[in-house]
Amino acid sequence: MAHKTLHSNQKLFTLSLILLSLSLLIFFIFFGSKNNVVNRFKVETDQPNQFFTNPRWFDLIQEESNGDKKIKVGLVNLNDEEVSQYEVHGNGSLVDTVRVHFDRVSKVREWNDFFPVWINEDSNLQPPTCPEIPMPRLEEYWDLSVVVAKVPCDGWTSEAGMRDVFRLQVNLVVANLLVRSGCAKGPDIKREVYAVFIGHCGPMPEIFRCDDLLRKEGDHWVYKPELKRLKQKVLMPPGTCQIAYPFGKTDNARENKLKNRQFNHREAYVTVLHSSDAYVCGAIALAQSIIRTNSTKDLLLLHDEHVSPRSLTGLRTAGWKTRQIERIRSPFAKKGSYNEWNYSKLRIWLLTWYHKVVFIDSDLLVFKNMDWVFHYPQISAAGNDRTLFNSGIMVIEPSLCTFEDLMLKSFKVGSYNGGDQGFLNEVFTWWHRLPNEVNFLKYFDRNHSLDREKIPDDLSAIHYLGLKPWMCYRDYDCNWDIKERQVFASDKAHEKWWQVYDEMAERLKPYCGLSPHMNWRIKKWRRIAKKLSLPDEHWKIGVTDPRQYNLVQ
Ligand SMILES: *[C@@H]1O[C@H](CO)[C@@H](O)[C@H](O)[C@H]1NC(C)=O
Ligand SMILES: *[C@@H]1O[C@H](CO)[C@@H](O)[C@H](O)[C@H]1NC(C)=O
Ligand SMILES: *[C@@H]1O[C@H](CO)[C@@H](O)[C@H](O)[C@H]1NC(C)=O
Ligand SMILES: *[C@@H]1O[C@H](CO)[C@@H](O)[C@H](O)[C@H]1NC(C)=O
């Protein structure tokens, strides 16, 4: 009996030992990885057989690259001292490390050099050039599986957008290396490639999407980028110093394949209405204008509860699919201000059933088919001023983690105008320039005032800045009647809007009526313009618009 107890005690003891070892093993696997990757990498090199001492990202990559045992690591932007820390000296037939050499971008180069206010878009002239961002000799690094890069974070704060040329260079070097190595086996056979970024600010989210982040541990960020999207980004010009091409000039075959794909309901034009019915007529005319161009894309309108049921009927009749959202307050806008709820636009990133979305403001009209802009990556847009894009038309790629990131940043990152445009320009500092004719801004400062009645007929879209056409009499652009708004005045653009109106179905026109208040406002401005004897003399024009007699409530 005693013997038997002893025996079972022994068994229990052995079992406990096994359990303890197992727990320890599990503990090491899951918690050991939280240590600094640098040190862990060193440990690994001393004891190549102890798999649980590998850095966690290294494990992850080995797990993912099933079978492909050999791992070649490229090191980017690490100084001599750091290289010795990151270099793997272990079993050469398993891991190989190379240092990637490239010339640093000239220190005199500033962000503005890559993002000029204006470029010459005349295709008859020599295309504008961009300053050089040196790249490594990619043919020497065609077989990497992992690129480890230290990202410069100088001057980085979470409050301000990051406009650092060297940071851009490092990100582009990594992207180019990954694309080169990932596609080295041929156009269809892709090598699995990974990026590890070291630095508290991480890589540029414009190039390395949060969707591709496998893991973040402290200052280390492990990405497995989707090569197709990354390839498109490295084909973009380094800044807005040139017009972007959808796939680079050479990739015609793919472009044609995309062109031939007739109906793609995974892509949509999306607009957002919130807070009132003021832009309903604009959105109706917009839908009609897009349909006129034989677009094959979905039309989706996001609205909050302040858009009336009657308006929604009109919007749906005009061609929009509608979807209700909750509006988003701009954290820095004054209560009751005109842009208090402009961050509602950020909801477009939640439309993840769409592969791509072209956001379009309701005060635009489309005149020429522009479905081709769907070929561009996020964010492609037309220029506004300084280094900034205009958020009236933007190509975006819906993504849940991007939306979450934007919401978090919205409380920290400021906006120069309190609106979404200022905010988005701080988050997406690296953007791609679409030709201005995609989002022709109806804005004529002193230097361009002669252009205001010479609006080309082949524009893709006009952005009706200032007072909206449906808030004026159709006889002339009522921006003329207010001195400060004359920069927005163009009778030619105004007329083009009313041409679309004229082609609308009769049952849609009542949504563009004048309310007594709007009518009263127009008359007031006309009186003031007359009193001031504004020299353009639009206030002298006899009004024939029948809407002035058929006011709607
Ligand atoms: C390196 O690894 C390979 C494959 O696992 C093995 O065959 C070889 O013996 C190792 N060499 C050394 C020096 O450890
Ligand atoms: C749209 O398609 C119709 C019918 O195929 C055609 O007659 C019309 O010219 C097209 N419009 C545009 C703007 O391409
Ligand atoms: C904000 O939204 C309002 C109403 O939709 C619009 O009139 C205004 O231009 C927007 N402001 C900015 C800065 O985007
Ligand atoms: C007009 O052009 C001149 C010279 O190109 C420039 O210096 C000036 O700033 C411009 N004025 C405006 C209002 O843009």
Side-chain angles (χ1 to χ4, degrees):
M1 193 68 178
H3 181 79
K4 210 174 174 193
T5 313
L6 186 65
H7 183 72
S8 58
N9 269 353
Q10 241 172 4
K11 258 168 80 177
L12 208 67
F13 181 68
T14 318
L15 199 69
S16 314
L17 257 183
I18 292 174
L19 275 177
L20 188 68
S21 331
L22 262 178
S23 328
L24 271 175
L25 189 65
I26 290 169
F27 178 84
F28 272 113
I29 290 175
F30 286 95
F31 296 91
S33 62
K34 294 242 167 80
N35 291 347
N36 189 334
V37 173
V38 182
N39 296 332
R40 304 209 57 79
F41 218 163
K42 280 184 95 174
V43 172
E44 190 270 339
T45 62
D46 298 338
Q47 299 158 317
N49 293 329
Q50 282 175 300
F51 72 95
F52 55 84
T53 58
N54 281 338
R56 184 59 185 147
W57 67 261
F58 193 81
D59 284 348
L60 269 172
I61 287 160
Q62 269 192 324
E63 282 163 24
E64 293 266 346
S65 61
N66 46 69
D68 200 1
K69 279 267 164 61
K70 170 120 179 174
I71 292 179
K72 188 158 176 184
V73 185
L75 301 180
V76 172
N77 188 35
L78 293 164
N79 61 37
D80 293 339
E81 205 176 299
E82 290 159 336
V83 162
S84 65
Q85 281 186 331
Y86 280 87
E87 212 158 20
V88 185
H89 302 291
N91 190 333
S93 64
L94 277 179
V95 182
D96 190 10
T97 313
V98 293
R99 196 172 172 182
V100 178
H101 297 277
F102 61 93
D103 292 332
R104 192 177 159 149
V105 62
S106 162
K107 284 209 164 94
V108 302
R109 287 294 171 206
E110 290 178 1
W111 197 261
N112 292 0
D113 300 330
F114 294 91
F115 289 80
V117 180
W118 178 87
I119 63 168
N120 196 331
E121 295 185 16
D122 188 342
S123 53
N124 297 321
L125 299 174
Q126 191 84 347
T129 55
C130 287
E132 200 202 351
I133 298 191
M135 285 292 126
R137 291 168 57 84
L138 294 174
E139 62 277 15
E140 288 175 14
Y141 310 99
W142 59 274
D143 57 350
L144 305 177
S145 327
V146 185
V147 177
V148 178
K150 193 177 73 178
V151 243
C153 296
D154 301 339
W156 185 85
T157 59
S158 59
E159 288 80 31
M162 196 55 180
R163 296 187 171 87
D164 181 290
V165 177
F166 183 48
R167 179 171 142 91
L168 173 62
Q169 182 183 27
V170 169
N171 278 270
L172 286 177
V173 166
V174 177
N176 274 286
L177 289 169
L178 294 177
V179 168
R180 180 66 222 259
S181 286
C183 303
K185 289 182 176 175
D188 295 320
I189 315 150
K190 304 255 187 281
R191 187 203 306 274
E192 311 261 284
V193 286
Y194 300 84
V196 180
F197 295 97
I198 305 154
H200 61 94
C201 61
M204 290 171 59
E206 300 97 315
I207 301 176
F208 293 94
R209 311 160 64 228
C210 56
D211 312 71
D212 297 340
L213 176 65
L214 289 184
R215 195 182 179 96
K216 176 178 182 288
E217 282 181 10
D219 278 0
H220 293 71
W221 313 59
V222 183
Y223 282 76
K224 184 183 181 189
E226 191 189 313
L227 275 178
K228 219 168 78 186
R229 294 198 207 227
L230 196 61
K231 185 173 177 194
Q232 195 185 11
K233 292 201 175 154
V234 303
L235 290 171
M236 290 289 132
T240 57
C241 30
Q242 287 174 336
I243 298 284
Y245 298 97
F247 284 105
K249 272 179 278 186
T250 52
D251 216 346
N252 282 331
R254 179 184 260 168
E255 204 175 333
N256 285 336
K257 205 165 104 190
L258 278 169
K259 260 188 201 144
N260 294 335
R261 196 172 50 188
Q262 271 305 298
F263 292 90
N264 188 341
H265 290 293
R266 293 187 59 223
E267 297 179 333
Y269 290 101
V270 177
T271 196
V272 179
L273 291 189
H274 58 81
S275 309
S276 79
D277 279 337
Y279 281 65
V280 167
C281 163
I284 287 176
L286 170 61
Q288 294 284 292
S289 76
I290 296 174
I291 291 169
R292 266 180 12 148
T293 68
N294 295 341
S295 166
T296 59
K297 309 299 174 189
D298 271 7
L299 297 177
L300 176 64
L301 179 137
L302 305 181
H303 65 91
D304 73 349
E305 76 274 19
H306 297 93
V307 176
S308 69
R310 175 184 170 267
S311 295
L312 288 177
T313 306
L315 290 162
R316 290 191 198 112
T317 309
W320 292 108
K321 294 180 181 181
T322 61
R323 206 175 169 94
Q324 190 168 334
I325 54 161
E326 213 170 297
R327 61 185 182 172
I328 302 176
R329 196 167 183 280
S330 325
F332 302 112
K334 289 202 189 76
K335 237 190 158 70
S337 69
Y338 78 110
N339 55 17
E340 182 177 7
W341 299 99
N342 284 48
Y343 280 38
S344 306
K345 214 184 255 190
L346 303 183
R347 293 257 182 234
I348 53 180
W349 269 276
L350 285 176
L351 306 174
T352 50
W353 57 95
Y354 287 117
H355 171 72
K356 216 170 263 180
V357 157
V358 170
F359 173 81
I360 184 160
D361 263 336
S362 298
D363 56 351
L364 276 118
L365 278 191
V366 173
F367 293 98
K368 207 172 74 184
N369 187 301
M370 50 184 272
D371 287 356
W372 52 272
V373 300
F374 284 90
H375 295 169
Y376 284 78
Q378 171 170 290
I379 272 183
S380 298
N384 195 69
D385 61 341
R386 297 184 277 148
T387 61
L388 312 177
F389 59 86
N390 184 283
S391 65
I393 288 192
M394 300 181 285
V395 184
I396 71 111
E397 297 168 14
S399 143
L400 197 56
C401 64
T402 304
F403 177 76
E404 284 165 354
D405 193 38
L406 289 171
M407 293 313 286
L408 282 175
K409 283 178 176 155
S410 72
F411 295 99
K412 297 184 196 151
V413 178
S415 161
Y416 75 90
N417 62 359
D420 56 281
Q421 177 166 304
F423 170 65
L424 288 172
N425 266 290
E426 295 305 308
V427 180
F428 298 96
T429 52
W430 193 68
W431 55 280
H432 317 294
R433 188 190 287 275
L434 296 174
N436 273 334
E437 59 100 14
V438 166
N439 181 0
F440 180 88
L441 302 179
K442 187 166 77 84
Y443 177 82
F444 310 93
D445 60 23
R446 225 174 300 138
N447 287 354
H448 297 99
S449 58
L450 290 178
D451 302 339
R452 67 172 84 235
E453 303 307 345
K454 285 191 287 193
I455 290 172
D457 277 325
D458 57 351
L459 293 174
S460 287
I462 296 180
H463 195 161
Y464 287 87
L465 303 179
L467 297 165
K468 309 308 169 192
W470 63 92
M471 299 178 183
C472 301
Y473 295 138
R474 65 178 293 165
D475 301 83
Y476 66 93
D477 187 337
C478 60
N479 284 295
W480 281 114
D481 289 339
I482 301 177
K483 216 160 180 249
E484 303 75 55
R485 296 215 166 135
Q486 288 195 340
V487 285
F488 303 120
S490 161
D491 291 332
K492 181 77 191 293
H494 188 73
E495 189 189 313
K496 282 174 84 72
W497 192 93
W498 285 97
Q499 280 167 7
V500 173
Y501 170 89
D502 284 340
E503 286 186 24
M504 276 168 28
E506 288 307 315
R507 65 185 187 284
L508 290 176
K509 290 181 179 168
Y511 294 97
C512 295
L514 281 176
S515 67
H517 179 70
M518 279 153 75
N519 193 42
W520 170 82
R521 268 197 326 194
I522 302 172
K523 288 197 157 139
K524 184 183 81 178
W525 294 322
R526 268 170 71 84
R527 269 201 313 276
I528 295 172
K530 184 177 176 185
K531 212 179 267 171
L532 294 173
S533 293
L534 291 185
D536 55 276
E537 299 194 331
H538 281 76
W539 46 271
K540 279 189 177 169
I541 293 175
V543 174
T544 60
D545 189 339
R547 287 153 68 248
Q548 67 181 315
Y549 307 116
N550 308 307
L551 301 179
V552 297
Q553 35 62 39

